[in-house]
């Protein structure tokens, strides 16, 4: 029996969509990493019950950290993105977390940069706060070992292609690391929005949006670039089509980044039908009702979409590009 709701929320489901396409579905994925990270900090004496934990978030991690703090008797302070919606703001308030929401900004790249700058200002005022550094501290890898074990048990553990939004690097990086401990036949496919600098696509703008949670305007220390075999860059419109098709075809109601991952996973599945392709659904679709699902009639048929194959990032183009990364000699790209 679970001792706290966070433990139940963080437990994923594996859903077989067809013979070799599997959805790793979370209600809120980052609860997995936040819970284990906070527990580890307490166990190692880095923090104590009652301390304040601080971080920046576009939404999912804010909720995850608030739940982890509630579970372990900690205080929580979040510098939130403009994308933090009313429902989440209300939940954070009731859970006792303090949300400092940035002023509205049409440029989500600038919003991300401003949030990190604000973190440094807060730490100067309150050096006793502990900055969780979800983007840079690989303590956030720890919680995914149990998830990797679940994937291994459920799929047999060999010939796996793991597909997921890169974001902070913790989920895909950790799952690939733990899966590869027992098998060398694990391909890692990262999904990025156009405009993200993580794999050098900052020069290609998406007129709609940089997909929150899976892209970045600043370098992230938790991204292990050498771990990735293939990259897909997917636009807002293509991700919308993926999200709508996933709900219509398989009844899986998930976020925009999941729609992008689903598109990439379908493509990888068609390229290697002998492999099991597992894609990550990091959250539910509730916060995307107005921005994505209300536009379902605009969605193009996913069968009409295919990635542009590129060998150099200078060739990247909307709505969808795919590149064999092959670790790129382990070097972090720059724009």
């Amino acid at each position: 029996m679970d001792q706290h709701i966070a433990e139940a929320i963080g437990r994923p489901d594996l859903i077989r969509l067809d013979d070799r396409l599997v959805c790793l579905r979370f209600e809120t994925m980052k609860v997995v990493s936040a819970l284990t990270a906070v527990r580890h900090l307490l166990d190692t004496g880095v923090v104590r019950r009652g301390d304040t934990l601080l971080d920046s978030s576009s939404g999912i991690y804010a909720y995850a950290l608030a739940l982890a703090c509630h579970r372990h008797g900690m205080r929580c302070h979040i510098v939130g993105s403009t994308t933090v919606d009313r429902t989440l703001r209300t939940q954070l308030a009731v859970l006792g977390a303090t949300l400092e929401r940035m002023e509205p900004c049409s440029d989500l790249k600038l919003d991300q940069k401003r949030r990190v700058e604000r973190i440094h200002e807060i730490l100067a005022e309150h050096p006793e706060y502990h900055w969780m550094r979800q983007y840079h501290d690989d303590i956030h890898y720890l919680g995914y070992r149990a998830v990797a074990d679940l994937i291994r048990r459920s799929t047999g553990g060999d010939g796996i292609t793991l597909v997921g939004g890169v974001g902070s690097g913790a989920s895909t990086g950790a799952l690939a690391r733990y899966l590869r401990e027992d098998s060398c036949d694990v391909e890692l496919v990262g999904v990025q929005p156009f405009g993200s600098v993580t794999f050098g696509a900052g020069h290609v703008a998406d007129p709609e949006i940089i997909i929150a949670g899976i892209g970045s305007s600043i370098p992230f220390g938790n991204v292990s670039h050498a771990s990735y075999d293939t990259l897909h860059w997917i636009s807002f419109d293509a991700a919308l089509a993926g999200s709508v098709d996933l709900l219509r075809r398989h009844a899986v109601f998930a976020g925009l980044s999941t729609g992008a991952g689903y598109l990439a996973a379908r493509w990888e599945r068609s390229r290697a039908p002998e492999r099991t392709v597992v894609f990550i659904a990091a959250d539910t679709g509730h916060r995307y009702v107005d921005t994505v699902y209300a536009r379902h009639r605009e969605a193009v048929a996913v069968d009409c979409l295919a990635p542009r194959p590129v060998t150099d990032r200078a060739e990247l183009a909307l709505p969808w590009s795919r590149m064999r990364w092959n670790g790129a000699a382990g070097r972090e790209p720059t724009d």
Side-chain angles (χ1 to χ4, degrees), residues 216-232:
S216 177
S217 62
I218 57 175
F220 286 167
N222 271 342
V223 177
S224 172
H225 295 82
S227 296
Y228 294 84
D229 300 291
T230 301
L231 268 298
H232 288 252

Side-chain angles (χ1 to χ4, degrees), residues 106 194-195 204-210 235-237 295 318-319:
S106 59
F194 291 96
V204 184
D206 186 335
E208 284 276 9
I209 191 172
I210 180 170
S235 71
F236 174 88
D237 289 338
R295 299 170 58 178
L318 278 68

Side-chain angles (χ1 to χ4, degrees), residues 56-302:
S56 161
S57 174
S58 61
I60 295 177
Y61 188 78
Y63 182 48
L65 186 59
L67 286 172
C69 287
H70 188 277
R71 169 70 177 87
H72 293 298
M74 315 292 290
R75 301 178 190 276
C76 179
H77 187 96
I78 298 292
V79 178
S81 168
T82 56
T83 59
V84 177
D85 61 25
R86 178 171 169 270
T87 300
L88 179 54
R89 294 198 303 271
T90 302
Q91 286 178 284
L92 293 175
V94 175
L95 284 169
T98 303
L99 173 65
E100 184 175 333
R101 194 168 180 236
M102 300 302 293
E103 291 297 317
C105 177
S106 59
D107 185 345
L108 288 182
K109 295 183 182 180
L110 179 59
D111 174 72
Q112 194 171 51
K113 183 172 181 288
R114 287 167 55 197
R115 282 187 279 131
V116 174
E117 290 173 348
R118 178 57 186 148
I119 289 286
H120 287 289
E121 293 174 357
I122 293 171
L123 288 172
E125 299 166 7
H126 297 280
E128 73 279 10
Y129 286 7
H130 180 84
W131 182 15
M132 291 297 294
R133 301 176 76 243
Q134 65 150 322
Y135 304 136
H136 306 292
D137 191 340
D138 67 3
I139 192 175
H140 292 91
Y141 274 44
L142 300 176
Y144 292 103
R145 181 176 288 280
V147 181
D149 291 341
L150 172 66
I151 295 172
R152 188 182 297 108
R153 291 194 307 271
S154 301
T155 65
D158 256 342
I160 292 176
T161 298
L162 177 68
V163 181
V166 177
S168 69
S171 59
T172 49
L175 288 171
R177 175 189 292 180
Y178 297 137
L179 286 169
R180 285 168 175 165
E181 288 178 349
D182 291 329
S183 172
C184 60
D185 193 9
V186 176
E187 290 264 322
L188 180 57
V189 178
V191 179
Q192 284 272 274
F194 291 96
S196 173
V197 305
T198 306
F199 285 90
H203 61 292
V204 184
D206 186 335
E208 284 276 9
I209 191 172
I210 180 170
I211 302 173
I214 68 169
S216 177
S217 62
I218 57 175
F220 286 167
N222 271 342
V223 177
S224 172
H225 295 82
S227 296
Y228 294 84
D229 300 291
T230 301
L231 268 298
H232 288 252
W233 289 267
I234 295 178
S235 71
F236 174 88
D237 289 338
L240 183 152
S243 298
V244 171
D245 189 83
L246 181 60
L247 178 57
R248 180 177 290 136
R249 192 186 303 249
H250 299 290
V252 176
F253 183 47
L256 187 62
S257 65
T258 301
Y262 169 64
L263 270 189
R266 280 171 51 91
W267 184 259
E268 297 301 325
R269 168 71 173 79
S270 70
R271 302 277 292 182
E274 76 284 358
R275 301 181 65 81
T276 298
V277 180
V278 179
F279 71 95
I280 299 171
D283 62 349
T284 66
H286 294 87
R287 67 180 182 137
Y288 301 94
V289 169
D290 293 331
T291 56
V292 175
Y293 288 100
R295 299 170 58 178
H296 65 91
R297 292 182 181 84
E298 302 172 27
V300 300
V302 294

